[in-house]
């Protein structure tokens, strides 16, 4: 059966049309569709047109639920002026990108950058293709291109009234030279972009037809289950393969690097069953006694350490605190979080001495390719990675491709045989790249009139870059720690003008792998700043909105979203009986966001979050209904973290192994979310993450309003919310 | 060996009796619309209908299912995505990543079968599947849309 799988890609396309060895290759092979239709023409890298006028738009970034696939297609289609109902999409592979000098640019889909980083060149791709298609029609008619116009993929020659379609001229267009320069439309004139269109990927997700990476089937494929040392930094000592070799379906027991062991079997369930029965001994290494307590002690030391990296500084904060009429101090803590994508990590690999191919769900296919090539021991041009839509990413599938490395190492033990590696939920929980742990010590100085004249913020805790991308450090300093706290820039500017300010970071890196987690460091920074602003306002005897407004005159975009939620929520007017409100604002990933939460807390301390009003200024809104979906989803994600999210450690390992001990918010706790989308049209900001920042602080401030209790250590699951 | 009636077809499968129905459906029968996520009946990604009742198949050993019991997976809910729940989901563009959605749809279809006009309260009590992307409000709206759209087929 194995021999039926020819690993050269062209042959693979051919065989993919058939069923081989009784197994249907029921998934989308990149470019297979276009390649199969011999007559489909690649007008340029972004646009392929078929004779039936179908337009295949190539998407470099990946779809993981955030709607980028549809948004990017809208941008290309807008400039192309094609018929939206005939648009389909496909992913180029990172191998093709390498072979074509990175013609599709960056594949990374993280940092809410899918659209804001690539809108210009994908729109140019659409505009260039449009130009070439018109040129081709004009050529056929021997008419000047300037006399031709296009609408919905139909090209018309004004003077003669002749018309043709993109499908008819695509072959000729593909032979033309690309224009040197193209004019992009003014967003005011958009007809496809900027509209609340339906997603392109919905129908298949409703019938089970959508093939995720975990669903990949290849002829002769085997399945693998893996266990890596549960203690961070530990190694595999020994295992007794003989104990499981005779179990049903088992083919082979293999070591995976020097830290893991995998069972390969005919089915995954049999592989996992045998793995669970496999006697394994671990060398737990130097971190075997690490616990949440030891990590907390490390961070507490950092709160008062003399050495720290400065993020934002002005004036003389010590002097301001010394001379203050009133000072306020508080310490906040935010724990480790796990991504918990619904689709656990997995990858399918097939390896031979001269080629390695991988099918997986990745937020950064180029990094996945580099990881695969490295594990395969082959040059990059002899490897490739085929992408499938992700069953959730949230940063986990961009931080590390450890699952790809494992899949390739396992496949290498079985040359020519495709092997699908799936992590059990338990393996997935134990081997995450966790939202980093931090604490913050806040001190504020108020003058006699209740004005905030000084703010001191000391962050103590883990750096993501130090572990994941050390080359991103600046003389040891992790600039990403200060997301949303920066004095200037376009990513995340601190929204308050305070004459005496010092924000710094005592980097303390416990040996727990950190990762980018939807919202990243903005999440805790917004809790620290926005909850403390609330504390200061109350200490000053002022309304939290008015108190903030006085500090925000130099930050009109920050203020505009805050004002928008306050107005919509009716801030300053009485809330319904028993309901209390809280506010928060923050800027990150280029966008300005704010929220007003409405909550109640009953006598037994049960919290109900009734309503969230959220505003976002993301500059340009490419698909407003999808932005609304992202805003709603970001609150589910942010409120899950607030209510339940906590990863703890004992004996060097993670204690939460599944959704019973790592709870995810469900429908009964989901508040009503009202989105205000207010794009100002003068910049491009992100959408997938920003509103998550304000979820927790708005609710925490509302809880204070309801109970008089200031919760400074989350999640709420461990807090007593009964009235003080 | 086990004999299972899935989407109206009888399948003879060669598996250990304690194999969860989920993995038999995915691996032996080859229907992958039913998803694995937790394996401990917490999330509902693996929801199928057993005699019309929404059932988390990841913890149901295949030996506990008789050949007479009717198992329906997402692939058998309708031939072409035309079940009222699927139509409502399409109308409201419910899915984000979509991984949980086949389970959500199966749970919603069983809910409406048992209770064709559920209140908000009925919906939140019955719909306990996890969606990490946070599509809960659209799911709720789509269930109401399906309920108001007419009769729900079994
Ligand atoms: S996989 Fe069955 S309930 Fe989660
Ligand atoms: S749509 Fe992604 S988990 Fe529900």
């Amino acid at each position: 059966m194995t021999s039926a799988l020819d690993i050269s890609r062209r042959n693979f396309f051919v065989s993919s049309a058939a069923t081989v060895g009784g197994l249907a290759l029921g998934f989308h092979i990149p470019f297979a569709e276009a390649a199969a239709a011999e007559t489909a023409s690649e007008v340029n890298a972004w646009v392929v047109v078929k004779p039936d006028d179908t337009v295949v738009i190539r998407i470099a970034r990946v779809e993981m639920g955030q709607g980028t696939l549809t948004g990017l297609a809208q941008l290309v289609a807008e400039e192309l002026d094609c018929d939206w109902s005939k648009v389909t999409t496909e992913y180029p592979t990172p191998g093709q990108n390498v072979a074509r000098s990175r013609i599709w640019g960056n594949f990374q889909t993280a940092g809410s950058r899918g659209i804001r980083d690539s809108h210009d060149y994908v729109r140019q791709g659409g505009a260039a293709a449009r130009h070439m298609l018109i040129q081709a029609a004009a050529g056929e008619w021997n008419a000047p291109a300037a006399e031709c116009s296009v609408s919905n993929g139909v090209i018309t020659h004004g003077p003669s009234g002749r018309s043709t379609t993109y499908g008819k001229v695509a072959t000729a267009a593909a032979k033309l030279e690309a224009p040197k320069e193209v004019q992009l439309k003014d967003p005011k004139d958009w007809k496809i972009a900027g509209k609340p269109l339906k997603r392109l990927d919905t129908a298949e997700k409703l019938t089970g037809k959508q093939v995720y990476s975990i669903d990949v089937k290849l002829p002769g494929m085997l399945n693998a289950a893996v266990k890596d040392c549960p203690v961070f930094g530990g190694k595999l000592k020994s295992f007794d393969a003989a104990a499981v070799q005779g179990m049903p379906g088992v083919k082979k027991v293999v070591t995976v690097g020097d830290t893991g062991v995998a069972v390969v079997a005919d089915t995954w369930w049999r592989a996992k069953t045998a793995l669970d029965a496999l006697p394994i001994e671990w060398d737990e290494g130097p971190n075997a006694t690490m616990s949440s307590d030891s990590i907390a002690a490390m961070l507490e030391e950092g709160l008062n350490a003399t050495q720290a990296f400065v993020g934002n500084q002005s004036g003389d904060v010590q002097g301001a605190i010394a001379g203050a009429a009133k000072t306020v101090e508080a310490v906040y803590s935010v724990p480790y979080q796990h991504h918990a994508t619904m689709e656990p990590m997995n990858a399918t690999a097939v390896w031979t001495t001269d080629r390695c191919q991988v099918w997986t769900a990745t937020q950064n296919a180029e990094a996945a390719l580099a990881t695969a090539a490295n594990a395969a021991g082959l040059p990059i041009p002899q490897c490739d990675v085929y992408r499938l839509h992700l069953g959730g990413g949230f940063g986990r599938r961009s931080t590390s491709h450890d699952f790809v490395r494992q899949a390739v190492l396992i496949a290498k033990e079985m040359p020519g045989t495709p092997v699908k590696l799936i992590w059990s939920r338990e393996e997935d929980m134990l081997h995450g790249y966790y939202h980093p742990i931090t604490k913050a010590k806040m001190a504020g100085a108020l003058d006699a009139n209740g004005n905030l004249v000084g703010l001191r913020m000391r962050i103590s805790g883990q750096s993501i870059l130090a572990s994941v991308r050390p080359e991103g450090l600046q003389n040891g300093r992790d600039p990403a720690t200060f997301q949303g706290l920066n004095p200037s820039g376009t990513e995340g500017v601190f929204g308050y003008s305070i004459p005496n300010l010092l924000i710094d970071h005592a980097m303390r890196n416990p040996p727990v792998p950190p990762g980018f987690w939807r919202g990243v460091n903005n999440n805790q920074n917004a809790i620290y700043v926005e909850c403390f602003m609330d504390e200061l306002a109350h200490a000053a005897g002022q309304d939290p909105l008015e108190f903030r407004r006085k500090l925000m005159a130099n930050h009109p975009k920050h203020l505009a979203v805050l004002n928008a939620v306050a107005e919509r929520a009716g801030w300053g007017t009485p809330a319904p009986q028993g309901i209390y409100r809280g506010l928060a604002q923050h800027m990150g990933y280029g966008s300005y966001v704010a929220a007003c939460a409405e909550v109640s807390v009953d006598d037994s301390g049960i919290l109900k979050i009734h309503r969230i009003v959220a505003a976002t200024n993301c500059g340009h809104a490419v698909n407003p209904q999808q932005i609304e979906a992202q805003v709603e989803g970001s609150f589910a994600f942010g409120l899950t973290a607030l209510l339940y999210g906590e990863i703890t450690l004992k004996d060097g390992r993670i204690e939460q192994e599944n959704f019973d001990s790592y709870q995810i918010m469900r429908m009964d706790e989901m508040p009503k979310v009202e989105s205000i989308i207010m794009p100002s049209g003068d910049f491009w900001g992100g959408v997938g993450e920003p509103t998550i920042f304000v979820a927790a602080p708005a609710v925490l401030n509302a809880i204070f309003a309801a109970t008089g209790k200031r919760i400074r250590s989350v999640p709420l699951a461990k807090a007593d919310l009964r009235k003080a | 060996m086990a004999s299972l009636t899935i989407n109206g077809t009888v399948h003879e499968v060669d598996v250990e009796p304690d194999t969860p129905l989920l993995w038999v459906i995915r691996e032996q029968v080859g229907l992958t619309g039913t998803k694995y996520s937790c394996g401990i009946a917490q999330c509902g990604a693996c929801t199928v209908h057993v005699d019309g009742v929404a059932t988390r198949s990841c913890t149901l050993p295949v030996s506990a299912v008789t050949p007479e019991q009717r198992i329906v997976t997402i692939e058998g809910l309708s031939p072409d995505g035309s079940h009222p729940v699927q139509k409502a989901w399409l109308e409201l563009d419910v899915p984000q990543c979509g991984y949980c959605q086949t389970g959500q749809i199966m749970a919603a279809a069983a809910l409406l079968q048992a209770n064709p006009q559920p209140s908000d309260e009925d919906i939140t009590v019955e719909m306990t599947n996890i969606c990490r992307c946070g599509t809960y409000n659209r799911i709720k709206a789509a269930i109401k849309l399906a309920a108001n759209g007419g009769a729900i087929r079994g």
Side-chain angles (χ1 to χ4, degrees):
Chain A
M1 236 158 65
T2 303
S3 62
L5 180 76
D6 188 317
I7 43 141
S8 89
R9 209 180 65 232
R10 180 138 289 277
N11 285 335
F12 194 82
F13 286 159
V14 175
S15 64
S16 73
T19 55
V20 187
L23 283 170
L25 294 170
F27 63 92
H28 184 75
I29 311 265
F31 294 7
E33 237 174 87
E38 288 294 323
T39 46
S41 304
E42 183 182 295
V43 181
N44 63 24
W46 302 99
V47 175
V48 174
V49 181
K50 297 189 195 172
D52 67 356
D53 294 327
T54 304
V55 172
V56 183
I57 296 178
R58 303 252 173 81
I59 305 291
R61 316 286 170 133
V62 82
E63 180 56 51
M64 51 188 170
Q66 85 284 34
T68 297
L69 180 94
T70 305
L72 288 170
Q74 282 177 267
L75 290 171
V76 175
E78 178 65 57
E79 297 294 340
L80 184 59
D81 275 324
C82 64
D83 180 350
W84 177 250
S85 71
K86 294 191 173 135
V87 167
T88 65
T89 60
E90 67 183 7
Y91 293 132
T93 73
Q96 290 163 333
N97 205 28
V98 169
R100 294 176 68 174
S101 314
R102 294 194 86 217
I103 194 165
W104 291 285
N106 197 347
F107 280 18
Q108 186 166 18
T109 314
S112 296
R113 294 186 167 281
I115 285 176
R116 66 190 174 112
D117 267 9
S118 66
H119 64 88
D120 51 351
Y121 58 79
V122 306
R123 285 190 293 155
Q124 277 161 15
R130 175 185 188 274
H131 178 98
M132 292 156 75
L133 288 156
I134 292 176
Q135 208 76 48
E140 271 175 32
W141 294 328
N142 266 322
E147 288 179 7
C148 300
S149 62
V150 62
S151 170
N152 272 339
V154 178
I155 306 165
T156 309
H157 179 236
S160 68
R162 277 179 297 191
S163 72
T164 186
T165 67
Y166 278 178
K168 296 201 178 83
V169 296
T171 313
K175 296 188 184 111
L176 297 177
E177 207 156 300
K180 295 239 160 14
E181 253 181 69
V182 287
Q183 183 76 35
L184 296 183
K185 291 183 188 173
D186 186 324
K188 284 201 303 290
D189 302 326
W190 282 353
K191 293 191 289 285
I192 297 172
K195 300 290 176 258
L197 302 183
K198 294 275 183 64
R199 296 173 65 117
L200 294 170
D201 54 339
T202 299
E204 302 223 317
K205 289 177 175 173
L206 309 179
T207 56
K209 261 204 200 120
Q210 179 66 58
V211 175
Y212 295 86
S213 170
I214 199 171
D215 305 325
V216 163
K217 292 174 203 162
L218 294 173
M221 184 179 80
L222 297 175
N223 289 271
V226 71
K227 274 189 188 174
D228 206 65
C229 183
V231 178
F232 297 115
K235 288 195 163 75
L236 176 67
K237 199 195 258 169
S238 66
F239 58 90
D240 180 10
V244 302
Q245 219 100 49
M247 287 180 70
V250 172
K251 305 285 183 195
K252 204 166 181 179
V253 184
V254 302
T255 59
V256 184
D258 55 5
T259 61
V261 55
V263 174
V264 182
D266 56 353
T267 68
W268 186 76
W269 182 255
R270 283 171 173 159
K272 182 192 182 290
T273 304
L275 182 66
D276 286 343
L278 181 71
I280 308 172
E281 270 194 85
W282 304 108
D283 165 4
E284 298 194 344
N287 303 320
T289 59
M290 174 172 56
S291 68
S292 286
D293 286 347
S294 68
I295 293 169
M298 201 172 162
L299 267 54
E300 263 148 39
E301 181 275 325
L303 288 178
N304 298 311
T306 46
Q307 292 262 304
F309 298 110
V310 173
N312 195 345
Q313 185 170 27
S314 61
D316 167 19
V317 80
Q318 286 319 2
I321 289 171
K326 190 171 189 179
T327 58
V328 181
E329 276 195 30
V331 173
Y332 284 81
S333 313
V334 174
Y336 284 116
Q337 311 276 337
H338 188 261
H339 295 88
T341 59
M342 290 301 281
E343 179 190 15
M345 298 305 112
N346 67 86
T348 301
V350 56
W351 183 91
T352 62
T353 49
D354 62 359
R355 188 148 177 82
C356 178
Q357 290 170 289
V358 173
W359 288 257
T360 197
T362 168
Q363 289 176 247
N364 188 349
E366 293 184 290
L369 175 60
T371 300
N374 188 281
L378 291 169
I380 283 180
Q382 282 166 247
C383 305
D384 213 345
V385 172
Y386 304 105
R387 292 185 276 179
L388 298 109
H389 292 346
L390 280 54
F394 314 123
R396 173 61 180 88
R397 291 179 157 110
S398 72
T399 302
S400 169
H401 291 88
D402 44 350
F403 47 97
V404 169
R405 186 185 67 91
Q406 290 180 341
V408 171
L409 291 176
I410 296 164
K412 228 172 150 176
E413 299 288 321
M414 328 211 70
T417 300
V419 181
K420 175 159 73 181
L421 170 69
I422 303 174
W423 287 12
S424 66
R425 175 58 56 189
E426 290 76 13
E427 190 68 9
D428 192 282
M429 290 296 298
L430 294 182
H431 297 286
Y433 284 79
Y434 306 88
H435 181 290
I437 191 166
T438 60
K439 289 177 184 286
K441 187 172 181 177
M442 312 292 293
L446 298 166
D447 70 12
N449 298 319
N451 295 314
L452 182 62
V453 292
L455 179 71
R456 172 83 176 91
M457 173 175 184
R458 160 60 61 84
I459 303 165
S460 172
Q462 201 162 8
S463 153
I464 303 172
L465 292 188
S467 166
V468 173
R469 206 189 294 146
E471 65 278 12
L473 297 178
Q474 301 167 341
N475 295 322
R477 170 184 178 275
D478 176 354
T481 303
F482 303 104
Q483 285 182 312
L485 307 175
N486 297 301
S488 59
T490 53
E491 270 297 286
V493 176
F494 191 58
Y496 303 105
S497 302
I498 302 167
N500 302 289
L501 176 73
L502 176 58
I503 300 175
D504 62 10
H505 175 215
M507 192 188 290
R508 294 292 179 275
N509 293 329
V512 176
F516 303 102
W517 188 97
R518 192 176 188 182
V520 193
N521 294 310
N522 290 290
N523 297 338
Q524 71 270 19
N525 289 346
I527 291 177
Y528 300 153
V529 171
E530 288 305 296
C531 291
F532 194 61
M533 276 292 160
D534 213 66
E535 293 203 47
L536 290 165
H538 285 282
Q542 295 177 25
D543 173 79
L545 176 62
E546 293 308 325
F547 183 80
R548 284 180 174 83
R549 278 178 173 160
K550 285 193 289 182
L551 304 167
M552 296 176 77
N554 298 331
H555 300 282
K557 286 196 168 98
H558 293 74
L559 183 59
V561 287
L562 183 65
N563 282 337
V565 296
E567 190 187 332
R568 171 75 67 87
W571 187 269
T573 65
Q577 177 71 29
I579 305 266
Y580 296 86
R581 298 188 178 120
L583 286 172
Q585 67 81 23
H586 191 82
M587 179 197 176
Y589 300 116
S591 290
Y592 303 81
V593 296
C596 181
E598 292 189 344
V599 313
S600 62
V601 181
D602 73 11
D603 291 343
S604 50
I606 305 287
L607 167 74
K608 184 159 173 59
I609 307 166
H610 297 265
R611 175 189 184 213
I612 300 280
V613 177
T616 176
N617 176 3
C618 49
H620 289 281
V622 174
N623 187 327
Q625 72 98 353
Q626 275 310 302
I627 296 174
E628 255 174 49
Q630 285 310 295
V631 170
E632 234 168 66
S634 74
F635 281 94
F637 211 81
L639 296 178
T640 288
L642 173 66
L643 296 176
Y644 302 112
E646 183 171 35
I647 288 290
T648 57
L649 286 103
K650 194 171 172 233
D651 300 331
R653 65 195 87 200
I654 301 294
E655 291 190 282
Q656 292 73 23
E657 296 197 21
N658 207 318
F659 292 141
D660 50 352
S661 50
Y662 194 74
Q663 284 286 329
I664 308 293
M665 172 201 256
R666 291 162 205 259
M667 187 186 284
D668 60 345
E669 292 169 308
M670 181 72 193
K672 185 172 166 216
V673 178
E674 293 172 36
S675 307
I676 306 169
I677 300 165
M678 40 191 289
S680 53
D682 53 342
F683 65 95
W684 288 79
V687 163
E689 297 168 89
T691 42
I692 188 178
F693 318 149
V694 285
V699 170
L700 285 166
N701 291 339
I703 289 172
F704 176 79
T707 64
K709 278 197 169 170
R710 190 59 75 179
I711 308 299
R712 300 189 185 91
S713 176
V714 293
L716 293 173
K718 61 186 185 187
D720 176 2
L721 296 186
R722 281 173 300 184
K723 283 198 178 67
Chain B
M1 278 302 252
S3 182
L4 298 169
T5 307
I6 301 176
N7 302 333
T9 305
V10 178
H11 295 264
E12 305 293 335
V13 290
D14 183 13
V15 289
E16 291 68 64
D18 57 354
T19 308
L21 177 62
L22 167 65
W23 291 100
V24 177
I25 291 171
R26 286 183 58 84
E27 305 203 293
Q28 273 82 15
V29 181
L31 296 173
T32 54
T34 307
K35 299 301 186 210
Y36 164 70
S37 186
C38 71
I40 59 166
Q42 282 284 317
C43 75
C46 62
T47 304
V48 298
H49 296 170
V50 179
D51 286 338
V53 178
T55 304
R56 294 185 173 173
S57 62
C58 65
T59 48
L60 182 66
V62 69
S63 57
V65 185
T66 68
E68 292 74 38
Q69 284 183 298
R70 290 176 298 116
I71 299 163
V72 176
T73 71
I74 187 72
E75 291 87 350
L77 186 65
S78 69
D80 50 3
S82 61
H83 186 281
V85 169
Q86 289 167 314
K87 288 204 310 215
W89 249 245
L90 185 66
E91 177 64 28
L92 298 187
D93 234 4
V94 173
Q96 290 188 24
C97 84
Y99 195 79
C100 75
Q101 296 295 341
T102 52
Q104 304 275 9
I105 288 168
M106 294 308 280
L111 161 65
L112 289 174
Q113 180 68 36
N115 179 0
Q117 292 293 328
S119 64
D120 275 28
E121 172 85 14
D122 296 339
I123 295 172
T124 51
V125 166
E126 286 300 318
M127 294 295 292
T128 58
N129 289 16
I130 292 174
C131 174
R132 189 64 165 139
C133 298
T135 63
Y136 298 123
N137 290 348
R138 287 197 184 190
I139 290 175
K140 195 194 280 179
I143 291 173
K144 289 176 153 177
L145 181 65
N148 294 328
I152 299 296
R153 296 188 307 137

